[in-house]
């Protein structure tokens, strides 16, 4: 099933907007990719304009930046501690942007979008 990302059929006040045209192909979206923990598995997809995106299906490592020392390390992810996108993602170990993840270095906050970028970048949280 395709997702539609066109405008709303309602005004801010709640009134109905009369449609002056139908849906268009460029307004189509895709299902959200829920990046889980596990051996790295990625999928390359073609997007509008012939460009490509890398969908990260599962991952076990993250590029972690320490803001004080400005060093970056590739660190193993242990578990998801907090995810403001959806509290149920914590139980299922789903990683999205803004999720707090427990690693070998400590707790880190994810700054990239794994379902769009194809990698996990994070910043160390004190």
């Amino acid at each position: 099933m395709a997702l539609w990302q066109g405008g709303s059929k309602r005004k801010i006040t709640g009134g109905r907007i009369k449609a002056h045209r139908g849906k268009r192909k460029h307004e189509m979206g895709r299902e959200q990719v829920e990046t889980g923990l596990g051996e790295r598995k990625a999928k390359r997809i073609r997007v509008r304009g012939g460009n490509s995106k890398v969908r990260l299906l599962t991952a076990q490592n993250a590029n972690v930046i320490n803001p004080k020392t400005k060093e970056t390390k590739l660190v193993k992810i242990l578990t998801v501690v907090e995810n403001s996108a959806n509290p149920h993602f914590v139980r299922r170990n789903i990683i999205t942007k803004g999720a707090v993840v427990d690693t070998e270095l400590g707790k880190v906050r994810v700054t990239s979008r794994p379902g769009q970028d194809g990698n996990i970048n994070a910043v160390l949280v004190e």
Side-chain angles (χ1 to χ4, degrees):
M1 183 185 90
L3 291 174
W4 182 60
Q5 295 180 330
S8 176
K9 293 184 178 185
R10 296 276 172 184
K11 299 179 190 177
I12 295 170
T13 57
R16 199 168 153 269
I17 297 174
K18 208 170 186 180
H20 63 281
R21 64 168 175 81
K23 297 175 182 180
R24 297 288 186 263
K25 190 177 191 298
H26 68 264
E27 295 170 344
M28 225 167 64
R30 284 191 176 93
E31 293 287 332
Q32 176 186 351
V33 174
E34 297 175 343
T35 305
L37 278 179
E39 194 174 322
R40 183 183 158 81
K41 211 181 288 180
K43 186 180 183 183
R44 189 174 219 84
I45 57 162
R46 184 192 182 276
V47 294
R48 186 173 155 96
N51 297 319
S52 63
K53 282 184 184 180
V54 179
R55 295 273 164 116
L56 196 60
L57 305 172
T58 56
Q60 59 187 14
N61 294 323
N63 302 314
V64 177
I65 297 173
N66 188 341
K68 289 184 180 173
T69 61
K70 305 277 193 264
E71 284 183 345
T72 306
K73 289 183 182 176
L74 190 66
V75 183
K76 188 171 191 224
I77 298 170
L78 303 174
T79 184
V80 178
V81 178
E82 179 188 328
N83 196 328
S84 57
N86 189 336
H88 299 297
F89 284 178
V90 177
R91 273 184 253 166
R92 295 166 56 198
N93 279 333
I94 291 173
I95 303 164
T96 58
K97 183 178 177 177
V100 177
V101 177
D102 197 22
T103 63
E104 293 170 337
L105 287 179
K107 289 183 181 177
V108 297
R109 183 174 299 280
V110 178
T111 56
S112 64
R113 298 171 72 187
Q116 307 259 352
D117 303 337
N119 62 8
I120 299 175
N121 297 328
V123 176
L124 198 64
V125 178
E126 302 305 314

